[in-house]
PDB file of all heavy atoms in Angstrom:
ATOM      1  N   GLY X 105     -31.244  11.066  16.262  1.00  0.00           N
ATOM      2  CA  GLY X 105     -30.286  12.043  16.767  1.00  0.00           C
ATOM      3  C   GLY X 105     -30.539  12.512  18.194  1.00  0.00           C
ATOM      4  O   GLY X 105     -29.810  13.339  18.726  1.00  0.00           O
ATOM      5  N   HIS X 106     -31.580  11.969  18.799  1.00  0.00           N
ATOM      6  CA  HIS X 106     -31.966  12.356  20.165  1.00  0.00           C
ATOM      7  C   HIS X 106     -30.988  11.729  21.172  1.00  0.00           C
ATOM      8  O   HIS X 106     -30.494  10.603  20.983  1.00  0.00           O
ATOM      9  CB  HIS X 106     -33.388  11.887  20.460  1.00  0.00           C
ATOM     10  CG  HIS X 106     -33.973  12.420  21.713  1.00  0.00           C
ATOM     11  ND1 HIS X 106     -33.735  11.854  22.952  1.00  0.00           N
ATOM     12  CD2 HIS X 106     -34.789  13.487  21.937  1.00  0.00           C
ATOM     13  CE1 HIS X 106     -34.371  12.544  23.874  1.00  0.00           C
ATOM     14  NE2 HIS X 106     -35.019  13.542  23.300  1.00  0.00           N
ATOM     15  N   PRO X 107     -30.692  12.440  22.285  1.00  0.00           N
ATOM     16  CA  PRO X 107     -29.792  11.881  23.317  1.00  0.00           C
ATOM     17  C   PRO X 107     -30.224  10.501  23.813  1.00  0.00           C
ATOM     18  O   PRO X 107     -29.367   9.685  24.175  1.00  0.00           O
ATOM     19  CB  PRO X 107     -29.841  12.911  24.443  1.00  0.00           C
ATOM     20  CG  PRO X 107     -30.146  14.206  23.747  1.00  0.00           C
ATOM     21  CD  PRO X 107     -31.047  13.835  22.589  1.00  0.00           C
ATOM     22  N   MET X 108     -31.528  10.232  23.816  1.00  0.00           N
ATOM     23  CA  MET X 108     -32.009   8.922  24.227  1.00  0.00           C
ATOM     24  C   MET X 108     -31.376   7.813  23.375  1.00  0.00           C
ATOM     25  O   MET X 108     -31.171   6.691  23.846  1.00  0.00           O
ATOM     26  CB  MET X 108     -33.532   8.883  24.080  1.00  0.00           C
ATOM     27  CG  MET X 108     -34.168   7.537  24.345  1.00  0.00           C
ATOM     28  SD  MET X 108     -35.969   7.601  24.139  1.00  0.00           S
ATOM     29  CE  MET X 108     -36.102   7.757  22.352  1.00  0.00           C
ATOM     30  N   GLN X 109     -31.069   8.127  22.122  1.00  0.00           N
ATOM     31  CA  GLN X 109     -30.484   7.151  21.234  1.00  0.00           C
ATOM     32  C   GLN X 109     -28.946   7.209  21.215  1.00  0.00           C
ATOM     33  O   GLN X 109     -28.261   6.206  21.367  1.00  0.00           O
ATOM     34  CB  GLN X 109     -31.012   7.318  19.815  1.00  0.00           C
ATOM     35  CG  GLN X 109     -32.490   6.960  19.658  1.00  0.00           C
ATOM     36  CD  GLN X 109     -32.713   5.460  19.797  1.00  0.00           C
ATOM     37  OE1 GLN X 109     -31.869   4.652  19.459  1.00  0.00           O
ATOM     38  NE2 GLN X 109     -33.870   5.089  20.318  1.00  0.00           N
ATOM     39  N   TRP X 110     -28.392   8.418  20.996  1.00  0.00           N
ATOM     40  CA  TRP X 110     -26.968   8.449  20.738  1.00  0.00           C
ATOM     41  C   TRP X 110     -26.084   8.448  21.972  1.00  0.00           C
ATOM     42  O   TRP X 110     -24.935   7.974  21.930  1.00  0.00           O
ATOM     43  CB  TRP X 110     -26.572   9.620  19.823  1.00  0.00           C
ATOM     44  CG  TRP X 110     -26.718  11.018  20.354  1.00  0.00           C
ATOM     45  CD1 TRP X 110     -27.751  11.868  20.151  1.00  0.00           C
ATOM     46  CD2 TRP X 110     -25.758  11.724  21.155  1.00  0.00           C
ATOM     47  NE1 TRP X 110     -27.538  13.061  20.790  1.00  0.00           N
ATOM     48  CE2 TRP X 110     -26.308  13.003  21.411  1.00  0.00           C
ATOM     49  CE3 TRP X 110     -24.512  11.409  21.687  1.00  0.00           C
ATOM     50  CZ2 TRP X 110     -25.671  13.977  22.163  1.00  0.00           C
ATOM     51  CZ3 TRP X 110     -23.854  12.377  22.438  1.00  0.00           C
ATOM     52  CH2 TRP X 110     -24.429  13.635  22.651  1.00  0.00           C
ATOM     53  N   VAL X 111     -26.595   8.893  23.133  1.00  0.00           N
ATOM     54  CA  VAL X 111     -25.759   8.882  24.340  1.00  0.00           C
ATOM     55  C   VAL X 111     -25.356   7.477  24.728  1.00  0.00           C
ATOM     56  O   VAL X 111     -24.156   7.222  25.036  1.00  0.00           O
ATOM     57  CB  VAL X 111     -26.477   9.615  25.496  1.00  0.00           C
ATOM     58  CG1 VAL X 111     -25.750   9.389  26.812  1.00  0.00           C
ATOM     59  CG2 VAL X 111     -26.565  11.112  25.216  1.00  0.00           C
ATOM     60  N   PRO X 112     -26.236   6.472  24.724  1.00  0.00           N
ATOM     61  CA  PRO X 112     -25.801   5.110  25.084  1.00  0.00           C
ATOM     62  C   PRO X 112     -24.732   4.548  24.130  1.00  0.00           C
ATOM     63  O   PRO X 112     -23.924   3.727  24.543  1.00  0.00           O
ATOM     64  CB  PRO X 112     -27.101   4.293  25.006  1.00  0.00           C
ATOM     65  CG  PRO X 112     -28.173   5.275  25.273  1.00  0.00           C
ATOM     66  CD  PRO X 112     -27.719   6.520  24.608  1.00  0.00           C
ATOM     67  N   TRP X 113     -24.752   5.010  22.870  1.00  0.00           N
ATOM     68  CA  TRP X 113     -23.728   4.528  21.935  1.00  0.00           C
ATOM     69  C   TRP X 113     -22.324   4.936  22.392  1.00  0.00           C
ATOM     70  O   TRP X 113     -21.325   4.287  22.020  1.00  0.00           O
ATOM     71  CB  TRP X 113     -23.995   5.072  20.540  1.00  0.00           C
ATOM     72  CG  TRP X 113     -25.024   4.280  19.813  1.00  0.00           C
ATOM     73  CD1 TRP X 113     -26.370   4.457  19.854  1.00  0.00           C
ATOM     74  CD2 TRP X 113     -24.827   3.193  18.923  1.00  0.00           C
ATOM     75  NE1 TRP X 113     -27.033   3.542  19.054  1.00  0.00           N
ATOM     76  CE2 TRP X 113     -26.091   2.757  18.460  1.00  0.00           C
ATOM     77  CE3 TRP X 113     -23.672   2.525  18.446  1.00  0.00           C
ATOM     78  CZ2 TRP X 113     -26.245   1.709  17.567  1.00  0.00           C
ATOM     79  CZ3 TRP X 113     -23.837   1.485  17.561  1.00  0.00           C
ATOM     80  CH2 TRP X 113     -25.104   1.077  17.126  1.00  0.00           C
ATOM     81  N   GLY X 114     -22.234   5.963  23.193  1.00  0.00           N
ATOM     82  CA  GLY X 114     -20.927   6.362  23.728  1.00  0.00           C
ATOM     83  C   GLY X 114     -20.341   5.346  24.672  1.00  0.00           C
ATOM     84  O   GLY X 114     -19.160   5.400  25.005  1.00  0.00           O
ATOM     85  N   ASP X 115     -21.161   4.381  25.093  1.00  0.00           N
ATOM     86  CA  ASP X 115     -20.702   3.330  25.987  1.00  0.00           C
ATOM     87  C   ASP X 115     -20.875   1.958  25.327  1.00  0.00           C
ATOM     88  O   ASP X 115     -21.130   0.964  25.991  1.00  0.00           O
ATOM     89  CB  ASP X 115     -21.474   3.363  27.311  1.00  0.00           C
ATOM     90  CG  ASP X 115     -20.597   2.976  28.514  1.00  0.00           C
ATOM     91  OD1 ASP X 115     -19.461   2.493  28.296  1.00  0.00           O
ATOM     92  OD2 ASP X 115     -21.039   3.163  29.647  1.00  0.00           O
ATOM     93  N   LEU X 116     -20.695   1.939  23.991  1.00  0.00           N
ATOM     94  CA  LEU X 116     -20.767   0.665  23.261  1.00  0.00           C
ATOM     95  C   LEU X 116     -19.767  -0.339  23.827  1.00  0.00           C
ATOM     96  O   LEU X 116     -20.054  -1.552  23.873  1.00  0.00           O
ATOM     97  CB  LEU X 116     -20.512   0.929  21.778  1.00  0.00           C
ATOM     98  CG  LEU X 116     -20.368  -0.304  20.871  1.00  0.00           C
ATOM     99  CD1 LEU X 116     -21.632  -1.142  20.888  1.00  0.00           C
ATOM    100  CD2 LEU X 116     -20.000   0.103  19.445  1.00  0.00           C
ATOM    101  N   VAL X 117     -18.620   0.113  24.239  1.00  0.00           N
ATOM    102  CA  VAL X 117     -17.589  -0.802  24.775  1.00  0.00           C
ATOM    103  C   VAL X 117     -18.182  -1.598  25.945  1.00  0.00           C
ATOM    104  O   VAL X 117     -17.906  -2.789  26.086  1.00  0.00           O
ATOM    105  CB  VAL X 117     -16.330  -0.022  25.202  1.00  0.00           C
ATOM    106  CG1 VAL X 117     -15.384  -0.925  25.976  1.00  0.00           C
ATOM    107  CG2 VAL X 117     -15.628   0.563  23.986  1.00  0.00           C
ATOM    108  N   HIS X 118     -18.966  -0.948  26.796  1.00  0.00           N
ATOM    109  CA  HIS X 118     -19.596  -1.655  27.922  1.00  0.00           C
ATOM    110  C   HIS X 118     -20.467  -2.777  27.424  1.00  0.00           C
ATOM    111  O   HIS X 118     -20.424  -3.904  27.966  1.00  0.00           O
ATOM    112  CB  HIS X 118     -20.449  -0.662  28.734  1.00  0.00           C
ATOM    113  CG  HIS X 118     -21.375  -1.319  29.725  1.00  0.00           C
ATOM    114  ND1 HIS X 118     -20.940  -1.838  30.917  1.00  0.00           N
ATOM    115  CD2 HIS X 118     -22.722  -1.572  29.653  1.00  0.00           C
ATOM    116  CE1 HIS X 118     -21.982  -2.362  31.567  1.00  0.00           C
ATOM    117  NE2 HIS X 118     -23.064  -2.220  30.807  1.00  0.00           N
ATOM    118  N   SER X 119     -21.252  -2.511  26.379  1.00  0.00           N
ATOM    119  CA  SER X 119     -22.133  -3.564  25.856  1.00  0.00           C
ATOM    120  C   SER X 119     -21.363  -4.710  25.254  1.00  0.00           C
ATOM    121  O   SER X 119     -21.719  -5.878  25.407  1.00  0.00           O
ATOM    122  CB  SER X 119     -23.106  -2.955  24.811  1.00  0.00           C
ATOM    123  OG  SER X 119     -24.043  -2.101  25.444  1.00  0.00           O
ATOM    124  N   VAL X 120     -20.286  -4.383  24.535  1.00  0.00           N
ATOM    125  CA  VAL X 120     -19.478  -5.424  23.896  1.00  0.00           C
ATOM    126  C   VAL X 120     -18.774  -6.269  24.957  1.00  0.00           C
ATOM    127  O   VAL X 120     -18.653  -7.484  24.824  1.00  0.00           O
ATOM    128  CB  VAL X 120     -18.480  -4.805  22.901  1.00  0.00           C
ATOM    129  CG1 VAL X 120     -17.538  -5.871  22.358  1.00  0.00           C
ATOM    130  CG2 VAL X 120     -19.226  -4.129  21.755  1.00  0.00           C
ATOM    131  N   ARG X 121     -18.320  -5.632  26.030  1.00  0.00           N
ATOM    132  CA  ARG X 121     -17.599  -6.372  27.073  1.00  0.00           C
ATOM    133  C   ARG X 121     -18.545  -7.251  27.900  1.00  0.00           C
ATOM    134  O   ARG X 121     -18.168  -8.338  28.314  1.00  0.00           O
ATOM    135  CB  ARG X 121     -16.891  -5.384  27.983  1.00  0.00           C
ATOM    136  CG  ARG X 121     -15.574  -4.882  27.419  1.00  0.00           C
ATOM    137  CD  ARG X 121     -14.934  -3.868  28.351  1.00  0.00           C
ATOM    138  NE  ARG X 121     -13.566  -3.529  27.901  1.00  0.00           N
ATOM    139  CZ  ARG X 121     -12.898  -2.447  28.265  1.00  0.00           C
ATOM    140  NH1 ARG X 121     -13.475  -1.566  29.089  1.00  0.00           N
ATOM    141  NH2 ARG X 121     -11.685  -2.209  27.821  1.00  0.00           N
ATOM    142  N   THR X 122     -19.757  -6.772  28.111  1.00  0.00           N
ATOM    143  CA  THR X 122     -20.637  -7.470  29.053  1.00  0.00           C
ATOM    144  C   THR X 122     -21.824  -8.166  28.392  1.00  0.00           C
ATOM    145  O   THR X 122     -22.421  -9.051  28.978  1.00  0.00           O
ATOM    146  CB  THR X 122     -21.202  -6.465  30.084  1.00  0.00           C
ATOM    147  OG1 THR X 122     -22.043  -5.515  29.404  1.00  0.00           O
ATOM    148  CG2 THR X 122     -20.082  -5.709  30.794  1.00  0.00           C
ATOM    149  N   GLY X 123     -22.194  -7.715  27.190  1.00  0.00           N
ATOM    150  CA  GLY X 123     -23.418  -8.230  26.554  1.00  0.00           C
ATOM    151  C   GLY X 123     -24.673  -7.563  27.081  1.00  0.00           C
ATOM    152  O   GLY X 123     -25.785  -7.908  26.672  1.00  0.00           O
ATOM    153  N   ASP X 124     -24.518  -6.586  27.985  1.00  0.00           N
ATOM    154  CA  ASP X 124     -25.654  -5.859  28.551  1.00  0.00           C
ATOM    155  C   ASP X 124     -25.904  -4.550  27.794  1.00  0.00           C
ATOM    156  O   ASP X 124     -24.976  -4.016  27.158  1.00  0.00           O
ATOM    157  CB  ASP X 124     -25.402  -5.517  30.032  1.00  0.00           C
ATOM    158  CG  ASP X 124     -25.212  -6.771  30.874  1.00  0.00           C
ATOM    159  OD1 ASP X 124     -25.839  -7.797  30.547  1.00  0.00           O
ATOM    160  OD2 ASP X 124     -24.460  -6.716  31.860  1.00  0.00           O
ATOM    161  N   THR X 125     -27.119  -4.001  27.873  1.00  0.00           N
ATOM    162  CA  THR X 125     -27.404  -2.774  27.174  1.00  0.00           C
ATOM    163  C   THR X 125     -26.737  -1.600  27.880  1.00  0.00           C
ATOM    164  O   THR X 125     -26.799  -1.452  29.102  1.00  0.00           O
ATOM    165  CB  THR X 125     -28.920  -2.501  27.099  1.00  0.00           C
ATOM    166  OG1 THR X 125     -29.439  -2.305  28.414  1.00  0.00           O
ATOM    167  CG2 THR X 125     -29.649  -3.637  26.409  1.00  0.00           C
ATOM    168  N   ALA X 126     -26.101  -0.748  27.084  1.00  0.00           N
ATOM    169  CA  ALA X 126     -25.550   0.500  27.636  1.00  0.00           C
ATOM    170  C   ALA X 126     -26.687   1.452  28.041  1.00  0.00           C
ATOM    171  O   ALA X 126     -26.516   2.270  28.931  1.00  0.00           O
ATOM    172  CB  ALA X 126     -24.646   1.173  26.604  1.00  0.00           C
ATOM    173  N   PHE X 127     -27.843   1.288  27.387  1.00  0.00           N
ATOM    174  CA  PHE X 127     -28.985   2.161  27.700  1.00  0.00           C
ATOM    175  C   PHE X 127     -29.338   2.097  29.174  1.00  0.00           C
ATOM    176  O   PHE X 127     -29.493   3.111  29.848  1.00  0.00           O
ATOM    177  CB  PHE X 127     -30.190   1.746  26.854  1.00  0.00           C
ATOM    178  CG  PHE X 127     -31.338   2.699  26.933  1.00  0.00           C
ATOM    179  CD1 PHE X 127     -31.545   3.652  25.944  1.00  0.00           C
ATOM    180  CD2 PHE X 127     -32.256   2.640  27.979  1.00  0.00           C
ATOM    181  CE1 PHE X 127     -32.610   4.540  26.030  1.00  0.00           C
ATOM    182  CE2 PHE X 127     -33.321   3.522  28.064  1.00  0.00           C
ATOM    183  CZ  PHE X 127     -33.489   4.485  27.079  1.00  0.00           C
ATOM    184  N   GLU X 128     -29.433   0.894  29.707  1.00  0.00           N
ATOM    185  CA  GLU X 128     -29.827   0.749  31.115  1.00  0.00           C
ATOM    186  C   GLU X 128     -28.734   1.303  32.039  1.00  0.00           C
ATOM    187  O   GLU X 128     -29.038   1.880  33.074  1.00  0.00           O
ATOM    188  CB  GLU X 128     -30.108  -0.710  31.425  1.00  0.00           C
ATOM    189  CG  GLU X 128     -30.707  -0.916  32.804  1.00  0.00           C
ATOM    190  CD  GLU X 128     -31.405  -2.246  32.953  1.00  0.00           C
ATOM    191  OE1 GLU X 128     -31.479  -3.009  31.967  1.00  0.00           O
ATOM    192  OE2 GLU X 128     -31.919  -2.515  34.066  1.00  0.00           O
ATOM    193  N   LYS X 129     -27.489   1.132  31.627  1.00  0.00           N
ATOM    194  CA  LYS X 129     -26.401   1.683  32.460  1.00  0.00           C
ATOM    195  C   LYS X 129     -26.481   3.206  32.499  1.00  0.00           C
ATOM    196  O   LYS X 129     -26.282   3.824  33.544  1.00  0.00           O
ATOM    197  CB  LYS X 129     -25.053   1.244  31.891  1.00  0.00           C
ATOM    198  CG  LYS X 129     -23.864   1.757  32.689  1.00  0.00           C
ATOM    199  CD  LYS X 129     -22.541   1.457  31.992  1.00  0.00           C
ATOM    200  CE  LYS X 129     -21.385   2.090  32.771  1.00  0.00           C
ATOM    201  NZ  LYS X 129     -20.131   2.147  32.006  1.00  0.00           N
ATOM    202  N   VAL X 130     -26.792   3.831  31.357  1.00  0.00           N
ATOM    203  CA  VAL X 130     -26.823   5.281  31.254  1.00  0.00           C
ATOM    204  C   VAL X 130     -28.052   5.871  31.927  1.00  0.00           C
ATOM    205  O   VAL X 130     -27.976   6.848  32.681  1.00  0.00           O
ATOM    206  CB  VAL X 130     -26.753   5.726  29.780  1.00  0.00           C
ATOM    207  CG1 VAL X 130     -27.010   7.227  29.647  1.00  0.00           C
ATOM    208  CG2 VAL X 130     -25.386   5.366  29.169  1.00  0.00           C
ATOM    209  N   PHE X 131     -29.218   5.274  31.672  1.00  0.00           N
ATOM    210  CA  PHE X 131     -30.479   5.876  32.132  1.00  0.00           C
ATOM    211  C   PHE X 131     -31.084   5.209  33.357  1.00  0.00           C
ATOM    212  O   PHE X 131     -32.077   5.686  33.900  1.00  0.00           O
ATOM    213  CB  PHE X 131     -31.508   5.858  30.998  1.00  0.00           C
ATOM    214  CG  PHE X 131     -31.135   6.778  29.852  1.00  0.00           C
ATOM    215  CD1 PHE X 131     -30.762   6.272  28.614  1.00  0.00           C
ATOM    216  CD2 PHE X 131     -31.145   8.163  30.026  1.00  0.00           C
ATOM    217  CE1 PHE X 131     -30.431   7.120  27.569  1.00  0.00           C
ATOM    218  CE2 PHE X 131     -30.822   9.005  28.970  1.00  0.00           C
ATOM    219  CZ  PHE X 131     -30.450   8.482  27.746  1.00  0.00           C
ATOM    220  N   GLY X 132     -30.517   4.093  33.799  1.00  0.00           N
ATOM    221  CA  GLY X 132     -31.026   3.441  34.988  1.00  0.00           C
ATOM    222  C   GLY X 132     -32.321   2.719  34.805  1.00  0.00           C
ATOM    223  O   GLY X 132     -33.001   2.384  35.791  1.00  0.00           O
ATOM    224  N   ALA X 133     -32.722   2.497  33.578  1.00  0.00           N
ATOM    225  CA  ALA X 133     -33.974   1.786  33.274  1.00  0.00           C
ATOM    226  C   ALA X 133     -33.844   1.182  31.885  1.00  0.00           C
ATOM    227  O   ALA X 133     -33.060   1.648  31.063  1.00  0.00           O
ATOM    228  CB  ALA X 133     -35.163   2.738  33.324  1.00  0.00           C
ATOM    229  N   GLY X 134     -34.611   0.131  31.640  1.00  0.00           N
ATOM    230  CA  GLY X 134     -34.638  -0.440  30.311  1.00  0.00           C
ATOM    231  C   GLY X 134     -35.324   0.498  29.329  1.00  0.00           C
ATOM    232  O   GLY X 134     -36.026   1.435  29.698  1.00  0.00           O
ATOM    233  N   HIS X 135     -35.148   0.218  28.037  1.00  0.00           N
ATOM    234  CA  HIS X 135     -35.658   1.111  26.983  1.00  0.00           C
ATOM    235  C   HIS X 135     -37.182   1.283  27.102  1.00  0.00           C
ATOM    236  O   HIS X 135     -37.704   2.411  27.048  1.00  0.00           O
ATOM    237  CB  HIS X 135     -35.284   0.518  25.627  1.00  0.00           C
ATOM    238  CG  HIS X 135     -35.729   1.350  24.454  1.00  0.00           C
ATOM    239  ND1 HIS X 135     -36.757   0.975  23.617  1.00  0.00           N
ATOM    240  CD2 HIS X 135     -35.300   2.541  23.996  1.00  0.00           C
ATOM    241  CE1 HIS X 135     -36.921   1.890  22.677  1.00  0.00           C
ATOM    242  NE2 HIS X 135     -36.047   2.839  22.874  1.00  0.00           N
ATOM    243  N   TRP X 136     -37.919   0.184  27.234  1.00  0.00           N
ATOM    244  CA  TRP X 136     -39.374   0.277  27.250  1.00  0.00           C
ATOM    245  C   TRP X 136     -39.865   0.934  28.539  1.00  0.00           C
ATOM    246  O   TRP X 136     -40.820   1.718  28.512  1.00  0.00           O
ATOM    247  CB  TRP X 136     -39.995  -1.116  27.083  1.00  0.00           C
ATOM    248  CG  TRP X 136     -39.452  -1.798  25.843  1.00  0.00           C
ATOM    249  CD1 TRP X 136     -38.682  -2.907  25.784  1.00  0.00           C
ATOM    250  CD2 TRP X 136     -39.615  -1.357  24.490  1.00  0.00           C
ATOM    251  NE1 TRP X 136     -38.348  -3.213  24.490  1.00  0.00           N
ATOM    252  CE2 TRP X 136     -38.909  -2.277  23.660  1.00  0.00           C
ATOM    253  CE3 TRP X 136     -40.283  -0.309  23.882  1.00  0.00           C
ATOM    254  CZ2 TRP X 136     -38.864  -2.135  22.284  1.00  0.00           C
ATOM    255  CZ3 TRP X 136     -40.238  -0.169  22.516  1.00  0.00           C
ATOM    256  CH2 TRP X 136     -39.537  -1.087  21.724  1.00  0.00           C
ATOM    257  N   GLU X 137     -39.217   0.654  29.640  1.00  0.00           N
ATOM    258  CA  GLU X 137     -39.581   1.309  30.899  1.00  0.00           C
ATOM    259  C   GLU X 137     -39.321   2.813  30.777  1.00  0.00           C
ATOM    260  O   GLU X 137     -40.120   3.625  31.257  1.00  0.00           O
ATOM    261  CB  GLU X 137     -38.769   0.708  32.048  1.00  0.00           C
ATOM    262  CG  GLU X 137     -39.093   1.312  33.418  1.00  0.00           C
ATOM    263  CD  GLU X 137     -38.179   0.773  34.515  1.00  0.00           C
ATOM    264  OE1 GLU X 137     -37.375  -0.146  34.242  1.00  0.00           O
ATOM    265  OE2 GLU X 137     -38.279   1.299  35.642  1.00  0.00           O
ATOM    266  N   TYR X 138     -38.231   3.175  30.164  1.00  0.00           N
ATOM    267  CA  TYR X 138     -37.902   4.595  29.979  1.00  0.00           C
ATOM    268  C   TYR X 138     -38.970   5.298  29.164  1.00  0.00           C
ATOM    269  O   TYR X 138     -39.407   6.414  29.519  1.00  0.00           O
ATOM    270  CB  TYR X 138     -36.554   4.726  29.288  1.00  0.00           C
ATOM    271  CG  TYR X 138     -36.103   6.152  29.012  1.00  0.00           C
ATOM    272  CD1 TYR X 138     -35.347   6.863  29.938  1.00  0.00           C
ATOM    273  CD2 TYR X 138     -36.431   6.789  27.807  1.00  0.00           C
ATOM    274  CE1 TYR X 138     -34.940   8.165  29.692  1.00  0.00           C
ATOM    275  CE2 TYR X 138     -36.059   8.093  27.544  1.00  0.00           C
ATOM    276  CZ  TYR X 138     -35.311   8.774  28.489  1.00  0.00           C
ATOM    277  OH  TYR X 138     -34.930  10.068  28.238  1.00  0.00           O
ATOM    278  N   LEU X 139     -39.444   4.677  28.091  1.00  0.00           N
ATOM    279  CA  LEU X 139     -40.476   5.293  27.262  1.00  0.00           C
ATOM    280  C   LEU X 139     -41.777   5.436  28.039  1.00  0.00           C
ATOM    281  O   LEU X 139     -42.504   6.429  27.863  1.00  0.00           O
ATOM    282  CB  LEU X 139     -40.692   4.453  26.002  1.00  0.00           C
ATOM    283  CG  LEU X 139     -39.529   4.412  24.993  1.00  0.00           C
ATOM    284  CD1 LEU X 139     -39.907   3.548  23.801  1.00  0.00           C
ATOM    285  CD2 LEU X 139     -39.155   5.804  24.542  1.00  0.00           C
ATOM    286  N   GLU X 140     -42.099   4.436  28.858  1.00  0.00           N
ATOM    287  CA  GLU X 140     -43.302   4.532  29.676  1.00  0.00           C
ATOM    288  C   GLU X 140     -43.214   5.711  30.655  1.00  0.00           C
ATOM    289  O   GLU X 140     -44.211   6.390  30.920  1.00  0.00           O
ATOM    290  CB  GLU X 140     -43.507   3.230  30.452  1.00  0.00           C
ATOM    291  CG  GLU X 140     -43.869   2.025  29.589  1.00  0.00           C
ATOM    292  CD  GLU X 140     -45.343   1.996  29.224  1.00  0.00           C
ATOM    293  OE1 GLU X 140     -46.083   2.879  29.672  1.00  0.00           O
ATOM    294  OE2 GLU X 140     -45.736   1.080  28.462  1.00  0.00           O
TER     295      GLU X 140
END
Side-chain angles (χ1 to χ4, degrees):
H106 190 277
M108 175 181 71
Q109 291 291 328
W110 68 262
V111 169
W113 279 86
D115 215 349
L116 173 60
V117 170
H118 167 77
S119 291
V120 174
R121 281 179 171 160
T122 66
D124 299 328
T125 64
F127 189 98
E128 189 161 358
K129 180 187 176 195
V130 171
F131 292 111
H135 182 252
W136 306 114
E137 181 185 354
Y138 179 90
L139 293 180
E140 292 279 357

